[in-house]
Amino acid sequence: MDYYKSNALYEHLTNTKNQKFAFCSGNMWQLIYGDSNSLPKILVLLIGITESQKDSPFEPNQSAYQNLKFVSDKTTVPLVVIRFLNDVAEIENVSVLKDDNTFKTISLIELTEIFKQNGLPVKNSSTAKYLNDKSSSAYHNWQRSSLGYNITVTDID
């Protein structure tokens, strides 16, 4: 499981004094899912965790969440927080944040339904988009192989 965790832009910004950019890296991603015209339908804070972190509480004060929450509130594009096991080759389920700040484990089919309910034209097929070098996680692999080519997924970075 050789996934990338950073890129040259993140490394440059991290090493720049007085930089005013907010971003997350490592095992956290801020994503915008859009339809085939890139019209935003859902915001996702995706968090890769290890088995030992499965029961750790959610920290709603973290800036990655607060920034997406602000965008969601201003645009009415819904926000979903998703956790997945990042130390596996293939994911079988994910956990989504509930209103009481606890996580509920759901199947990948249920996650796909959440995407559909929020207006994403999900198809059970793989993407046609070229993969640059390597994927970022087991979730990324699932997304590329399962959500089809009629959606756009953009990292906020």
Side-chain angles (χ1 to χ4, degrees), residues 87-104:
D87 54 354
V88 297
E90 189 174 322
I91 59 172
E92 297 177 6
N93 54 47
V94 297
S95 297
V96 293
L97 188 67
K98 301 185 311 182
D99 290 337
D100 65 358
N101 280 345
T102 62
F103 283 90
K104 175 185 179 186

Side-chain angles (χ1 to χ4, degrees), residues 22-24 28-32 44-46 63-65 67-68 154-157:
F23 61 94
C24 53
M28 187 178 294
W29 301 264
Q30 294 169 309
L31 305 172
I32 305 170
V44 171
L45 179 62
L46 183 64
S63 64
Y65 173 76
N67 292 339
L68 277 184
T154 305
D155 289 308
I156 299 177
D157 58 9

Side-chain angles (χ1 to χ4, degrees), residues 32-120:
I32 305 170
Y33 283 80
D35 62 16
S36 59
N37 294 314
S38 298
L39 181 65
K41 296 295 184 180
I42 191 167
L43 301 171
V44 171
L45 179 62
L46 183 64
I47 306 167
I49 60 170
T50 62
E51 183 71 35
S52 64
Q53 296 170 312
K54 257 173 87 169
D55 296 322
S56 62
F58 180 66
E59 298 175 21
N61 61 338
Q62 59 189 327
S63 64
Y65 173 76
Q66 289 298 323
N67 292 339
L68 277 184
K69 178 90 172 93
F70 176 81
V71 171
S72 177
D73 291 346
K74 292 294 183 186
T75 63
T76 69
V77 176
L79 170 61
V80 177
V81 178
I82 301 171
R83 279 184 177 171
F84 70 98
L85 288 177
N86 196 42
D87 54 354
V88 297
E90 189 174 322
I91 59 172
E92 297 177 6
N93 54 47
V94 297
S95 297
V96 293
L97 188 67
K98 301 185 311 182
D99 290 337
D100 65 358
N101 280 345
T102 62
F103 283 90
K104 175 185 179 186
T105 300
I106 63 171
S107 71
L108 297 174
I109 292 170
E110 290 170 300
L111 178 60
T112 301
E113 283 304 311
I114 290 172
F115 290 152
K116 286 180 183 177
Q117 291 167 4
N118 284 287
L120 282 175

Side-chain angles (χ1 to χ4, degrees), residues 144-157:
R144 289 181 53 80
S145 68
S146 303
L147 297 183
Y149 55 87
N150 287 326
I151 67 168
T152 57
V153 184
T154 305
D155 289 308
I156 299 177
D157 58 9

